Amino acid sequence: MPTLGQTRGIAVSHFKAPPKKNLGQHFLTDAGIVEHILHVLDPKPGDVLVEIGPGQGAITFPILKRHGSLTVIEFDRDLITPLSEAAHGIGELTIVHKDVLQVDFDRLAGDNRIRLVGNLPYNISTPILFHVLEHCRQVRDMHFMLQKEVVERMAAGPGSKIYGRLSVMLQAVCDVIPLFDVPPHCFNPPPKVNSAVVRLVPREAGERGIRDSIRFEAVVRDAFSQRRKTLRNALAKQCTAQQLEDAGIRPDARAEQVPVEDFIRLANRLHGD
Ligand code: SAM
């Protein structure tokens, strides 16, 4: 993946608020990175855009200028009024003052298919990803800034040490496309880790092939709960060794060796048993 932000662009600031560590606030300060996010997002007329965690508006206002409307979800009450005031004369900014983990994206979307974007708070990025996954019927795509290490886990394939529950759960329903890396100096305060922007494109429900998502989740969770165990042992509560074999999976394999489609096939065969 290319690393951007090698040369510092002009600092982006729409208003100043001291960053809060407990809310994972690392504000983007590199105009070149913001421009690149806009470039990969490529908003088209009629798109319904929703940003998670607008912060001081580094991504918000460039999107608003270009697109004319945007909904943002922000938890920090101190940012709500400054965001609203800064939007005057730029475009139609709808602010949802809420914890994103409490947002029902299906309801928020209504009849639209929304496009999500955000430099996510890294302290809760995995819960946000799982929450959005549950509500991704109305989501057309997502462009998220995350810790690079998380993006690598999301996109990892079988046979890799970092292939795990997150990789399988996401890849079962989305195309996961890492786009570019972003170094710490592009944020204020700089995070301790490198970051990366990833695109997630949910597949249509019919294309996913998962018959029972609760069973699928349980199988994947148990399979990876003790990575060193063979599947015969790790999945003892879910199925027999014979059922694994019938699904085309070796009982002495470990979860990290099993492709996503094999987990889907196994869960589908167990569905209704
Ligand atoms: N988009 C801004 C930027 O790029 O400069 C800020 C990104 S900062 C990494 C994460 C943002 O998410 C902050 O504005 C923070 O207040 C917000 N946030 C943190 N936890 C949240 C939650 N549970 N629900 C909604 N927003 C949250």
Side-chain angles (χ1 to χ4, degrees):
M1 261 194 300
T3 300
L4 302 183
Q6 311 279 39
T7 54
R8 284 169 199 241
I10 308 155
V12 190
S13 177
H14 295 272
F15 55 87
K16 288 280 180 205
K20 294 177 183 160
K21 203 174 169 191
N22 63 327
L23 289 176
Q25 292 182 348
H26 294 275
F27 298 125
L28 257 173
T29 54
D30 187 305
I33 297 297
V34 173
E35 210 177 292
H36 213 69
I37 292 172
L38 261 283
H39 175 74
V40 295
L41 181 65
D42 193 18
K44 296 278 190 266
D47 284 356
V48 181
L49 300 175
V50 178
E51 185 190 1
I52 299 173
Q56 299 178 342
I59 308 172
T60 316
F61 294 106
I63 293 179
L64 204 56
K65 272 184 201 143
R66 174 146 157 203
H67 194 61
S69 65
L70 174 68
T71 295
V72 295
I73 301 164
E74 177 57 65
F75 194 40
D76 184 352
R77 71 169 66 209
D78 295 338
L79 297 176
I80 305 302
T81 305
L83 278 167
S84 163
E85 285 173 353
H88 283 156
I90 301 182
E92 191 188 325
L93 185 69
T94 306
I95 304 177
V96 179
H97 178 202
K98 216 167 173 179
D99 174 359
V100 64
L101 298 175
Q102 304 302 322
V103 172
D104 180 338
F105 284 98
D106 291 332
R107 241 178 111 183
L108 183 76
D111 294 334
N112 301 299
R113 293 200 70 208
I114 53 176
R115 305 189 66 200
L116 293 177
V117 59
N119 170 16
L120 298 186
Y122 293 174
N123 50 342
I124 53 162
S125 61
T126 305
I128 293 176
L129 289 170
F130 278 108
H131 178 71
V132 175
L133 270 194
E134 276 176 37
H135 298 275
C136 68
R137 280 189 298 277
Q138 296 292 86
V139 176
R140 196 176 102 203
D141 60 18
M142 303 164 238
H143 289 82
F144 290 146
M145 174 95 72
L146 294 155
Q147 291 176 49
K148 182 176 180 205
E149 173 263 327
V150 173
V151 170
E152 286 170 345
R153 284 199 281 125
M154 289 159 69
S160 146
K161 286 265 170 263
I162 56 172
Y163 178 68
R165 178 171 167 246
L166 184 66
S167 334
V168 175
M169 294 305 294
L170 279 172
Q171 292 172 32
V173 293
C174 296
D175 290 334
V176 180
I177 306 149
L179 295 173
F180 57 92
D181 294 348
V182 182
H185 69 72
C186 296
F187 304 85
N188 174 42
K192 290 201 176 73
V193 293
N194 280 312
S195 303
V197 173
V198 63
R199 176 184 292 141
L200 299 171
V201 186
R203 286 189 286 280
E204 295 295 328
E207 284 175 41
R208 297 177 195 162
I210 300 169
R211 285 198 210 129
D212 175 350
S213 52
I214 293 174
R215 189 71 194 243
F216 176 69
E217 263 177 64
V219 165
V220 176
R221 188 191 53 235
D222 285 4
F224 284 100
S225 61
Q226 289 159 301
R227 299 176 68 98
R228 299 220 171 138
K229 278 194 177 177
T230 62
L231 288 175
R232 179 201 313 272
N233 292 328
L235 289 178
K237 274 197 272 168
Q238 299 289 344
C239 61
T240 62
Q242 187 59 52
Q243 284 173 310
L244 282 168
E245 280 187 39
D246 292 347
I249 298 173
R250 283 189 7 241
D252 63 347
R254 290 182 171 76
E256 67 193 36
Q257 300 167 302
V258 177
V260 176
E261 51 280 15
D262 287 10
F263 280 114
I264 296 176
R265 190 178 335 107
L266 173 64
N268 284 350
R269 291 181 74 103
L270 298 176
H271 168 68
D273 280 4

